[in-house]
Each structure stands twice: as C-alpha cells, then as structure tokens.
Amino acid sequence: MGKDFFGSLASDERVFLLIRHGERNHITPNDPDYGAHVGLTERGREQAFSLGRSIPDGDMVFFSSPVGRCMETARCIGEGHGLREVHVEPLGCLGDFFVQDQGEFEKVLRAGFYEGICEWLESEASGVPRTGAGAFYPLASRSREMLSTMLEKGCARFNIFATHDAWVVPCLTHFCKMRFTPQRWMNYLTGMAVVTGPEGKTPRRIVPVTGLETGWLEF
C-alpha cells in the first residue's frame, strides 16, 4: 500500500479499507475454538504499526471483528498513525460475514479451511454445488452487502475494517476478480480498498492492496 496507493488519492477522496489482521500465532488442528483466541505475533503488531505510519493525515475510524487479533490490529494501526486514543468498534458481522450455517461451516473448518473456502468460491463461479456450499451465503449478493455495510458505517476520510482472510478473500474474488488456491493465499494486512468521493457513498474504484511487501502467501 504505502506511498503508491495513498499517493494516488485525490484530496477529496475517502478510503474504506477491508483488511486482514496482522501476522498471528499458529492455529493448531485440534484447537476447539478454531483459532478464535489466537493472538498476533510481535511481528504482526509491528506490521500494523507500520501500516498506520504510512497512512496520510486525515480523520480515521476503526471497526473490527470481535476476535482479539483483529481488534489489536486496528488499535496498532491507529497507534502507528500517532493517535493517542484509538476507539475500535467491534462488529459481529466482521467475524463471520459470509457464514450462513454455523454447523456446516464448522464441518468445512474441520475438513480443511483453505480447501473449503476455495471449493465454495469455485462452486459460485461454476454454478455447480459442492460439498460445504450450504455453509455460505451467495457470493455476489453478500459481497455487495459487505460493501454497503462499509459505506454505511464509515464516516471519516480513512475507515479501517479489520477482519479475517475468510471474509476478505470472497470480496477480492467478487470485486477484483482475483483467484486464490490453498497453495496461493492472501497475506496478512492485505485486503481491498474502496475509494469514494467526499460523500462516501459511491465507489470510484475498488482495488486490492497490501500493507506488506507482497500480498501473497505461498504454501
């Protein structure tokens, strides 16, 4: 992101940033809470601080999944930006936005997280239902709802929405036509920037962005 993205903004443009949290500790396969309580690494905190430093001057608001590593990411971005007090509003929807059936989603998690998300996205593209598809809402309509939620909630020049890769990947797939596989996934502090005019209602452009050197993780 940094200078390239922020330097491209017009003086009247606003940014709504849907971003994955910073680097986290490892989630073990037998974690009964599927990583809900796994926190950031020290490097993850430093990554978020660095992103905050790269954001130009301007008012800023923060929204987050209620999960701790997302809340901490948002706070670190604000602190890196130099804010003395950082208020982060937890949004339940940022924790499980695309989940339609929790029981079915947990089956996907147990069977293989990356594989399950990719199979769902492929089924959406092909129109052919696959195992686990019932766990998720339809991609197109739910992605548009995510965008509407961001534009409705955001009230500043820079609006930060910290969430999880599972809910950023579908939006990048829908709006930016990106393709992910279990071997090529999105990096930490990577996401989607929605740029609007001063009214903050109509997107001028929607682009993939990353706060790190690369937006990809290779497995």
Side-chain angles (χ1 to χ4, degrees), residues 17-38:
L17 184 62
L18 181 70
I19 195 167
R20 186 186 184 188
H21 54 75
E23 183 185 80
R24 58 163 167 74
N25 288 299
H26 181 62
I27 297 176
T28 60
N30 60 352
D31 188 327
D33 298 310
Y34 306 105
H37 302 291
V38 171

Side-chain angles (χ1 to χ4, degrees), residues 37-99:
H37 302 291
V38 171
L40 296 181
T41 63
E42 186 56 38
R43 183 163 68 171
R45 297 183 188 95
E46 292 172 356
Q47 290 168 344
F49 270 96
S50 179
L51 175 56
R53 285 193 295 268
S54 73
I55 299 176
D57 290 340
D59 57 331
M60 192 179 300
V61 293
F62 303 88
F63 304 91
S64 173
S65 158
V67 173
R69 59 182 174 271
C70 297
M71 296 285 289
E72 187 174 14
T73 295
R75 282 195 296 271
C76 287
I77 291 172
E79 290 170 2
H81 191 63
L83 301 180
R84 290 188 176 182
E85 293 186 11
V86 181
H87 172 72
V88 182
E89 180 179 340
L91 295 179
C93 65
L94 290 176
D96 58 0
F97 195 80
F98 284 87
V99 176

Side-chain angles (χ1 to χ4, degrees), residues 133-179:
F136 305 101
Y137 284 106
L139 175 64
S141 60
R142 199 62 170 166
S143 296
R144 290 193 296 268
E145 287 181 36
M146 175 70 89
L147 175 60
S148 295
T149 297
M150 292 168 63
L151 296 178
E152 178 184 345
K153 286 286 185 180
C155 59
R157 186 174 189 212
F158 298 104
N159 306 276
I160 310 300
F161 295 81
T163 183
H164 308 270
D165 51 349
W167 318 136
V168 182
V169 161
C171 289
L172 287 171
T173 299
H174 177 71
F175 289 111
C176 302
K177 309 307 178 190
M178 297 182 70
R179 183 174 182 271

